[in-house]
Amino acid sequence: MDGGGGVNSAVMNSLRLFILGTIIETGRRFFQWAVERFKLFQYSITAQFQEGDPSYEWIILFLTEEKVWTRARQFRVNATNSMRKWTVNMADPDGDDLSKDENAEYVPTYDEAQLFKWRGYWVEIRRTMTSRFNPSVGNQLSTTLYTRDMSALSALVDDAKARYTRRSNPHVIVHTIDQAGMNFGPNGVWGNSKSKQRRPLSSIILQEGVIQSLVEDAREFIRSEDWYTKAGIPHRRGYLLHGPPGTGKSSTIYAVAGELGLEIYSLSLASSFVDDSFLQRAVASIPKQAIFLIEDIDCAFPSREDQEEAETLPMMAGAPFPPHMMMNSRMMGRQTSPITLSGLLNVLDGVGSEEGKIFFATTNYIDRLDSALLRPGRIDKKIQYKLATKAQAAALFLRFYPESYTTLLCEQSETTPLSEKMPIDGDARKTLTPAEKTAALADLAARFSAEIPEHEFSTAEMQGFLLACKQQPEKAVADVAAWVAGERAEREQKRVREEEREARKREKKELREARQLQGSLARLGEMGAFGGGAEEAHGGSQKARRRHGPPPELDAAGAIPSVHVNGTIPLPNGAGPLSNGTSPMSNGTSPMSTGTSPLLSGSPVQSPNGTPVMEVPSVTSKAVEVGA
Ligand SMILES: Nc1ncnc2c1ncn2[C@@H]1O[C@H](COP(=O)(O)OP(=O)(O)OP(=O)(O)O)[C@@H](O)[C@H]1O
């Protein structure tokens, strides 16, 4: 009996457990069903934030500040770097969330759904991945607000944006693109965001008023959106900063962005993956009131010299592409991009470039830029940067040695070895008032700038020198003359090397031209020998070779031994009649060397009976001999 009762109670217990489990599971399913109905009957609003779009950054910061992450159980860990991610302080959850001082950054991934309350609304957040094959890109954050009030969503986004602006304030946010960014969705191509410390305008040393007028111009532009709309003018503005390297072009843009609180979207046209359609997509996804920056814009397009060189290439034996394709490949000396000028112009003129966008471009070579790019509407203001003046040198010196951070040698302790001291007025040690110190530094700055020749060195070069004399203003003054002399000597050596390189390049070019001419002459010789029609010239070339020997050959170094036209004209050692300026075949007036020559332009001459004939005036009607 007892045994039967025990079995019964075990069965009963199991049954109870089963019923309990069923009730719980049913309850869970019902709850899920109810939540879905709730959403279905529009008791909720859902918004997606796509990684790569600026709003994704806003919402991540918002969640960090709302401390939603404290319930998260999954984090991505990165070694601390300048990539901007709104990370959390694991060591001190109640402290400042932006743990930039730590070695590692913890970024919540929000893999599990999190529910939290914001301004009385229940908000659910969860991450979804758009790319199954590449989990590191294409994340989305899905935010659901349990309310029917549509304005709650825009209030949340506004709140997130406001927090983001406040947090970003001491920094300039720079967005860039790497190839991986291409995987992002329709909007997001700007995969990398970095934060740079804001640079005060006063730290940029330019001629009086230049940077202030630039800032004022940009500020005025941002303010006058209505005016642009009423006038029917696209609300965009373009600036080109041009001049030698290291004169402060990029620094100016970063300082202006910091001053105006704008983010920078910086694109390098030299990247191989940036073509016209990519550029269009990238620019279209830049938000309102931001800076679109293209540094070294000339790099995207070949210079006229490069173009000329490319035009001669197809004439060379075995040149695989027509010139424009050669431009776009990396076969030219200078790297160019697959982007076209018209592609860039379309983007600058297009709808994606309106809405208060400020376009900045920099270049070291303004004359390499097409005038179409420089016209107002695309570039509204050009600012020229020059190598430093004496005044700029003095200003840089004073920036390096501010009164409050600098200890002059004459102020240093008596333990400083005398050999290291360079007292200004010979005293061993002094206590200077701030005014005296300022005056002493001004004096040093004047002595420093007196040694710097006008417009010969860039600010970056001087900065490099001054960095080697950090906190040693007297040493900078003592060494500057030697530095100038050393730099000049180095430049002279560089100039000589450059000249030699140019001479070698010229020689190669002449050789190439001579080779082309030799080829033309050989063909003419063959045709001239048969005196006639294209068919004959073509079909007869084999015969000609049999009769007159092999075509011209190059020597081992690739040089042409010599060519005789009518047995008399040697080719080309630089002084030969075919290569010097006086030869009827190489000077500008020769029908064979001018651009209009039917021989070099490839258009056939018509024979009297209308048959195309490669006929050669005067000299070429005679036989061409090739030989040593
Ligand atoms: N006018 C300037 N005022 C202050 N610092 C400058 C100035 N010019 C150059 N520098 C310093 O030199 C360095 C290089 O400057 P920057 O990159 O702005 O020059 P750039 O003209 O843009 O050069 P590039 O044409 O090579 O890009 C920076 O560290 C910057 O601080």
Side-chain angles (χ1 to χ4, degrees), residues 79-85 100 105 174 193-196:
T80 303
N81 58 31
S82 62
M83 296 282 293
R84 189 178 41 116
K85 291 272 178 266
K100 285 287 175 196
E105 297 177 335
V174 187
S193 306
K194 291 184 184 166
S195 127
K196 280 171 87 96

Side-chain angles (χ1 to χ4, degrees), residues 574-620:
L578 275 174
S579 65
N580 72 15
T582 57
S583 159
M585 294 177 80
S586 67
N587 71 14
T589 57
S590 160
M592 291 177 71
S593 66
T594 59
T596 54
S597 162
L599 282 168
L600 296 186
S601 67
S603 42
V605 183
Q606 298 287 313
S607 76
N609 63 9
T611 323
V613 177
M614 296 295 278
E615 232 176 45
V616 187
S618 60
V619 283
T620 55

Side-chain angles (χ1 to χ4, degrees), residues 385-401:
Y385 285 66
K386 291 185 178 162
L387 295 172
T389 58
K390 283 183 186 293
Q392 279 173 293
L396 184 72
F397 184 94
L398 291 174
R399 208 194 87 209
F400 253 80
Y401 306 110

Side-chain angles (χ1 to χ4, degrees), residues 41 73 143 212 226 380 538:
F41 290 114
R73 288 290 163 266
T143 309
Q212 285 75 12
D226 284 352
D380 301 286
H538 179 74

Side-chain angles (χ1 to χ4, degrees), residues 295-315:
E295 291 214 59
D296 299 320
I297 194 167
D298 57 282
C299 285
F301 307 107
S303 69
R304 236 166 271 137
E305 277 168 31
D306 289 342
Q307 251 163 344
E308 277 166 18
E309 202 169 321
E311 273 154 23
T312 65
L313 282 172
M315 303 176 84

Side-chain angles (χ1 to χ4, degrees), residues 522 525-531 540-552 622-627:
E526 288 169 3
M527 287 182 280
F530 298 105
S541 61
Q542 292 289 336
K543 274 188 268 168
R545 245 174 259 131
R546 274 199 298 277
R547 256 184 265 164
H548 297 277
K622 297 173 186 167
V624 177
E625 271 180 33
V626 180

